[in-house]
Amino acid sequence: MAETFYKEHSKFHVAVDCIIFGFDDGMLKLLIHKRKFEPFLDHWSLFGGFLRSDESLDDGARRILFELTGLENIYLEQLYAHGEPMRDPAGRVVSVSYVALIPGHKYHSGFSEQYDAVWIPLNMMPDLIMDHNDMVERGLKWLRRRASTRPIGFELLPEEFTIPRLQNLYEAILGEKLDKRNFRKKLLSMDFLKKLEEKDKTGSRKGAYLYKFDQQMYNKLVDNGFSFTI
Amino acid sequence: MAETFYKEHSKFHVAVDCIIFGFDDGMLKLLIHKRKFEPFLDHWSLFGGFLRSDESLDDGARRILFELTGLENIYLEQLYAHGEPMRDPAGRVVSVSYVALIPGHKYHSGFSEQYDAVWIPLNMMPDLIMDHNDMVERGLKWLRRRASTRPIGFELLPEEFTIPRLQNLYEAILGEKLDKRNFRKKLLSMDFLKKLEEKDKTGSRKGAYLYKFDQQMYNKLVDNGFSFTI
DNA sequence: ATTTTAAGTGTAATATTAACACTTACCGGG
DNA sequence: CCCGGTAAGTGTTAATATTACACTTAAAAT
C-alpha cells in the first residue's frame, strides 16, 4: 500500500534510545552500557535499538527497554526526535529518545549485571556515542521541569518511602538544597501522601515514617483543579 | 554505509507536519489546507510532507513550511513524534510534528490565498486527516504551557504591539479573562518591554502606546536568574 | 460642546514563600 | 544503664507575590 502512494519518497531507519534514570545513594544515575554492535562496538551508549515495522514508537521503547534490561512496567515518556543527517556515521537514522524512570525497588534487582548495564552518576557521565550526551542533557532538563510540575518523583523511589528520602531525591533532581521544614510542610499539605505505621530505620537511629503516594487521591485533586508544584 | 551495518532493519517514511498558529481578530487560529495528494486527497489537513534523505528534521520542517506557505524565518519548534503503525492507512509513516508561530505582520500578507491555505479559529476546527486533530490538541497544550513560561507570545504579534493587544493574545491562548491592571503591572515590571513614542489608534479613539519586546534585555535578565511567568 | 470608547492608573486584602533553631527518638558503646 | 551521636521532626514570623476591584483620561465622531 505504502508503495502505491509514497514510493518516490526516501525511507529511514528509525531508532529508539532510552535515557534511563535511577536514584541511589543520594545520587541521580543513568543506566548505560557498552554497545554490542558496529559501528561504535564497545563504546558507551544509551540503550537503543531499531524500530520494527509492526510496532509503535512507544511499543518499540518498551520492547527495547525490556530486551536490554529485562525491566517491565516502567514509566516511559517520549522526549525528542533527533534527525541530523550525519548523526550516525553508519547511515541515516532518525532516533526518538525516551525517558525511563526506574523505581527504587527495581534498581538493585540484579538485572544490571545480567545485562551488562551499569549505573553511572550523572556528574560522571563518560563520552557517549553520537549525540547521546545531548540526549542525556535534554533528559535532565526534562526531568527537572517535569519533577517540579508533576508528581513523578515517586516513580524513582520504592513504593514506600520517607519524607527525607523524597527530599534527597528532589535535591538531586533540582541540584539544590531544600529546606526540610518547608519541604515537608508543602508535600504534606498536598494531601496525597498516606502515612504508614512503620518506620524506615536504615537512614537513622530514630527512624523516619514511611509514606505512600496515593494515586487516586492525586487524581481527585487534579480533577478539582489542583496542580502540583514543588 | 548504512547498508553495511543496518541493512537487516526496517525502514520507514518520515514525515513532518506543521501546526501553524496565528492570532487575528482576537482569536487563535490554525493554518490548514485541503490535501493535494492521495490518499485523503482534498481532505482538511495540516501542512506536511516527507523528509528528504539529506535534511534534518528541523530543516525539513522549515522547507515544508516554506514550500507550502511561502513563509520564511518563522518560529518553529519540534513537538512530538507520532508512530502508530496504522496512523496512515497508505503506509508506515512516522511523523514528527512541529509548532510554528506566525507573527502578526505576516498573517495578512496574502500568502494564504496564493497557497490555498486557510486560517481557521481553533474552536471551529474541522475533522482533519489521520491523527492531525491529536497533533493540534497537543500543540495547543504546548502553546499554553510555553506561553506562560517563555516570552513567545511576541512571536504571534507584530514587532510593535500594544499592551491591550498582548493581553488579548494571552487571553486567547490561556482561554481565560485576565485583569487589565494586574496584567499590565506584571508585564511592565519585567522590564523587557520598550515603550515607544507612537500610539496605535486602530483599537480605540484614545489610542494605546506601542511597545517592543527587547530580546537583549530579556537575555540579560535570564542570565541573572530571571524567569518569565504569566 | 457632548458623547462614546477603550486606555490607563493605585491600593488594600489575601495567599504564598522563605528564613530560621531547637527538641525528640533511638541505637550503640562505654 | 546512661551517655553521645545522628537524623527526624516540628512553628512562627517576615517578606513577597497575587488577587480583587472602580474611576479618570484622551481623542475621535457627531
Side-chain angles (χ1 to χ4, degrees):
Chain A
M1 250 287 248
E3 312 321 318
T4 319
F5 296 119
Y6 302 153
K7 64 169 170 292
E8 74 271 24
H9 299 291
S10 302
K11 295 178 93 173
F12 301 80
H13 290 293
V14 174
V16 172
D17 288 299
C18 299
I19 303 157
I20 307 175
F21 287 106
F23 178 64
D24 182 49
D25 211 6
M27 286 180 286
L28 264 189
K29 299 188 183 177
L30 213 64
L31 193 68
I32 59 176
H33 76 328
K34 295 209 167 172
R35 197 183 220 225
K36 298 292 182 303
F37 52 90
E38 289 287 1
F40 300 117
L41 176 67
D42 260 352
H43 287 67
W44 289 112
S45 164
L46 295 177
F47 287 93
F50 287 95
L51 189 65
R52 292 188 184 158
S53 62
D54 60 343
E55 69 188 356
S56 68
L57 291 164
D58 286 4
D59 288 343
R62 226 185 325 272
R63 171 181 60 77
I64 285 161
L65 192 62
F66 178 67
E67 285 178 3
L68 298 180
T69 68
L71 294 168
E72 281 181 287
N73 287 118
I74 295 296
Y75 184 97
L76 258 178
E77 192 169 324
Q78 187 189 306
L79 185 57
Y80 196 75
H82 295 257
E84 288 299 316
M86 294 305 179
R87 59 176 292 283
D88 187 332
R92 188 66 208 272
V93 180
V94 170
S95 171
V96 180
S97 63
Y98 276 76
V99 179
L101 305 180
I102 307 298
H105 57 283
K106 294 188 179 168
Y107 185 98
H108 287 299
S109 47
F111 74 88
S112 79
E113 297 81 46
Q114 271 180 62
Y115 285 91
D116 194 25
V118 290
W119 285 108
I120 307 275
L122 269 174
N123 49 19
M124 300 178 56
M125 206 45 46
D127 282 348
L128 305 176
I129 61 168
M130 302 191 276
D131 48 10
H132 286 197
N133 289 97
D134 299 346
M135 293 184 184
V136 171
E137 206 170 309
R138 225 177 247 274
L140 184 58
K141 275 192 190 154
W142 175 91
L143 183 59
R144 292 206 164 126
R145 213 175 334 112
R146 201 63 157 186
S148 49
T149 55
R150 297 283 166 81
I152 56 161
F154 311 108
E155 302 290 340
L156 286 165
L157 292 174
E159 217 185 325
E160 306 186 351
F161 52 85
T162 66
I163 305 285
R165 200 66 59 244
L166 184 63
Q167 181 176 343
N168 295 156
L169 170 62
Y170 272 93
E171 290 174 339
I173 291 175
L174 302 175
E176 53 178 332
K177 281 256 161 253
L178 301 173
D179 180 275
K180 210 159 58 144
R181 283 180 282 195
N182 293 338
F183 183 82
R184 178 184 293 267
K185 204 186 323 167
K186 183 149 200 181
L187 264 287
L188 294 180
S189 75
M190 292 186 197
D191 267 350
F192 52 64
L193 292 185
K194 268 207 304 263
K195 185 175 185 174
L196 307 179
E197 293 303 312
E198 316 136 76
K199 286 183 159 188
D200 170 9
K201 303 216 171 157
T202 60
S204 72
R205 312 200 195 262
K206 182 179 180 179
Y209 282 103
L210 287 164
Y211 288 80
K212 256 178 135 159
F213 175 61
D214 183 342
Q215 182 74 52
Q216 269 191 302
M217 190 59 194
Y218 174 72
N219 294 342
K220 200 180 298 175
L221 290 168
V222 168
D223 288 347
N224 295 337
F226 165 81
S227 88
F228 177 91
T229 43
I230 217 150
Chain B
M1 249 290 245
E3 313 321 318
T4 319
F5 295 120
Y6 301 153
K7 63 168 170 292
E8 74 272 23
H9 299 291
S10 302
K11 294 179 93 173
F12 301 80
H13 289 293
V14 174
V16 172
D17 288 299
C18 298
I19 303 158
I20 307 174
F21 287 105
F23 178 64
D24 181 50
D25 209 6
M27 287 180 286
L28 263 189
K29 299 188 184 177
L30 213 65
L31 193 69
I32 60 176
H33 76 328
K34 294 209 167 171
R35 195 182 222 228
K36 297 292 182 302
F37 53 90
E38 289 287 2
F40 301 116
L41 175 66
D42 259 352
H43 287 66
W44 288 113
S45 165
L46 295 177
F47 286 92
F50 287 96
L51 189 65
R52 291 188 183 158
S53 63
D54 60 343
E55 69 188 355
S56 68
L57 291 163
D58 287 4
D59 288 343
R62 227 186 324 272
R63 171 181 60 78
I64 284 162
L65 192 63
F66 178 67
E67 285 178 4
L68 298 179
T69 68
L71 294 167
E72 281 181 287
N73 287 118
I74 294 296
Y75 184 96
L76 259 178
E77 191 168 324
Q78 187 190 307
L79 185 56
Y80 196 74
H82 294 257
E84 287 300 316
M86 295 305 179
R87 57 176 294 282
D88 187 332
R92 189 66 209 272
V93 180
V94 171
S95 171
V96 180
S97 63
Y98 275 77
V99 178
L101 304 179
I102 307 298
H105 58 283
K106 293 188 179 168
Y107 185 96
H108 286 299
S109 47
F111 74 88
S112 78
E113 297 82 45
Q114 270 180 65
Y115 285 91
D116 194 25
V118 290
W119 286 108
I120 307 275
L122 267 175
N123 50 18
M124 300 179 55
M125 207 44 47
D127 282 348
L128 306 177
I129 61 169
M130 303 190 278
D131 48 9
H132 286 197
N133 288 99
D134 299 346
M135 293 184 183
V136 172
E137 207 170 309
R138 227 177 245 274
L140 184 58
K141 276 192 191 154
W142 175 91
L143 183 58
R144 292 207 164 126
R145 213 174 334 112
R146 201 65 158 184
S148 49
T149 55
R150 297 283 166 83
I152 57 161
F154 311 108
E155 302 289 341
L156 287 164
L157 292 174
E159 218 185 323
E160 305 186 350
F161 52 85
T162 67
I163 305 284
R165 201 67 57 244
L166 183 64
Q167 181 176 341
N168 296 157
L169 170 63
Y170 272 93
E171 289 174 339
I173 292 175
L174 302 175
E176 54 178 331
K177 280 254 160 257
L178 301 174
D179 180 275
K180 209 159 58 145
R181 282 179 283 195
N182 294 338
F183 183 82
R184 178 184 293 268
K185 205 186 323 168
K186 182 148 201 182
L187 264 288
L188 294 181
S189 76
M190 291 186 198
D191 269 348
F192 52 63
L193 292 185
K194 268 207 304 263
K195 185 175 184 175
L196 307 179
E197 292 304 311
E198 317 136 77
K199 286 183 160 189
D200 170 9
K201 304 215 170 158
T202 59
S204 73
R205 310 194 196 270
K206 183 179 179 180
Y209 282 103
L210 287 164
Y211 288 80
K212 255 178 137 160
F213 175 61
D214 183 342
Q215 182 74 51
Q216 269 192 301
M217 191 59 193
Y218 174 72
N219 294 343
K220 201 180 298 175
L221 290 167
V222 168
D223 288 347
N224 296 337
F226 165 80
S227 87
F228 177 91
T229 44
I230 219 153

